[in-house]
């Protein structure tokens, strides 16, 4: 869909509503195209957190966080993916979603690599809560019930995490990532086809 250059004419309320609806629909289509990135992050977080869980079970305490070194690679892959997509298509809503994820991702990386001595057993539940906020925001902005529900469920899962032993929290993150990040991405890909 191509939006015509704006002229200096006045819009009727109906025309304004139609334009807003058109932009929202365009954002939903673009979000469907981005289902792949959610699938990638769901798998990446599942692998990293499950890897940490297994290292805990093998009592490899000194290296338990090594699987999370995959996260910066995912961030680089995401930047490349979105940079390529942005050259082809862009709108205000998708720009907002990109900024929200950049801020949440930056904060998650800072918390993970530098905040863990202070947060200790609260790190993964707080991370889940931040992920839930991001996914729910995507759902609200793009009018996607799948993402809104997934974000709410991730948020609830984060609060459940406070009740678990810290060595079991990575498994909770892994399962949540698979169900509530990979899952909605897969749903969007299937809807696209």
């Amino acid at each position: 869909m191509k939006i015509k250059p704006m002229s200096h004419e006045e819009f009727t309320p109906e025309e304004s509503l139609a334009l807003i609806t058109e932009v929202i629909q365009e954002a939903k289509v673009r979000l469907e195209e981005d289902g792949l990135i959610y699938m990638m992050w769901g798998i990446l977080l599942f692998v990293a957190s499950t890897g940490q869980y297994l290292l805990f079970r093998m009592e490899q305490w000194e290296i338990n966080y090594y699987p999370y070194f995959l996260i910066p690679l995912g961030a680089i892959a995401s930047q490349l993916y979105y940079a390529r997509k942005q050259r082809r298509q862009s709108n205000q809503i998708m720009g907002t979603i990109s900024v929200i994820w950049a801020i949440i991702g930056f904060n998650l990386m800072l918390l993970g690599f530098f905040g863990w001595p202070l947060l200790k057993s609260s790190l993964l539940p707080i991370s889940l809560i931040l992920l839930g906020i991001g996914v729910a925001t995507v759902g609200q902005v793009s009018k996607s019930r799948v993402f809104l529900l997934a974000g709410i469920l991730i948020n609830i899962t984060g609060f459940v995490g406070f009740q678990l032993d810290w060595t079991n929290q990575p498994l909770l993150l892994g399962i949540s990532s698979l169900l509530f990040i990979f899952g909605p991405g897969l749903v969007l890909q299937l809807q696209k086809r």
Side-chain angles (χ1 to χ4, degrees):
M1 177 194 95
K2 294 199 176 202
I3 297 176
K4 297 175 186 172
M6 295 204 67
S7 62
H8 295 288
E9 64 188 65
E10 294 291 320
F11 287 104
T12 67
E14 292 81 17
E15 290 171 330
S16 296
L17 184 60
L19 180 61
I20 291 168
T21 302
E22 203 172 320
V23 169
I24 290 171
Q25 290 300 339
E26 182 182 350
K28 285 177 81 171
V29 168
R30 289 190 183 153
L31 181 61
E32 289 174 15
E33 292 175 359
D34 292 344
L36 286 174
I37 205 75
Y38 291 97
M39 292 169 61
M40 180 205 73
W41 275 107
I43 290 172
L44 185 67
L45 288 170
F46 175 77
V47 168
S49 58
T50 305
Q52 183 183 38
Y53 175 77
L54 293 174
L55 288 170
F56 282 156
R57 294 294 155 253
M58 295 185 302
E59 299 183 4
Q60 298 296 316
W61 310 111
E62 310 80 36
I63 62 168
N64 77 79
Y65 58 91
Y66 280 16
Y68 290 106
F69 286 124
L70 293 172
I71 301 302
L73 297 176
I76 292 168
S78 293
Q79 284 295 336
L80 294 172
Y81 179 79
Y82 280 117
R84 195 180 93 229
K85 278 186 109 26
Q86 207 164 34
R87 275 185 259 138
R88 287 185 277 147
Q89 56 193 7
S90 180
N91 70 30
Q92 186 71 28
I93 294 172
M94 292 311 292
T96 301
I97 290 172
S98 296
V99 168
I100 288 168
W101 276 119
I103 292 168
I104 289 174
F106 181 71
N107 282 286
L108 285 170
M109 285 205 324
L110 284 179
L111 284 173
F113 289 110
F114 303 111
W116 65 268
L118 177 65
L119 296 173
K120 297 188 186 340
S121 65
S122 297
L123 176 62
L124 289 183
I126 290 170
S127 298
L128 279 163
I129 291 168
L130 286 172
L131 280 172
I133 291 168
V135 172
T137 302
V138 166
Q140 179 61 30
V141 169
S142 66
K143 305 296 184 209
S144 169
R145 289 182 183 160
V146 172
F147 272 92
L148 182 59
L149 179 61
I152 292 167
L153 292 172
I154 293 171
N155 197 273
I156 291 168
T157 303
F159 285 100
V160 169
F162 286 115
Q163 307 304 313
L164 295 178
D165 179 68
W166 64 277
T167 60
N168 292 323
Q169 290 174 352
L171 188 58
L172 184 66
L173 174 59
I175 292 169
S176 296
S177 299
L178 207 54
L179 293 176
F180 306 129
I181 298 175
F182 176 83
L186 181 61
V187 167
L188 290 175
Q189 276 299 304
L190 293 174
Q191 286 177 347
K192 179 183 169 191
R193 294 177 185 179

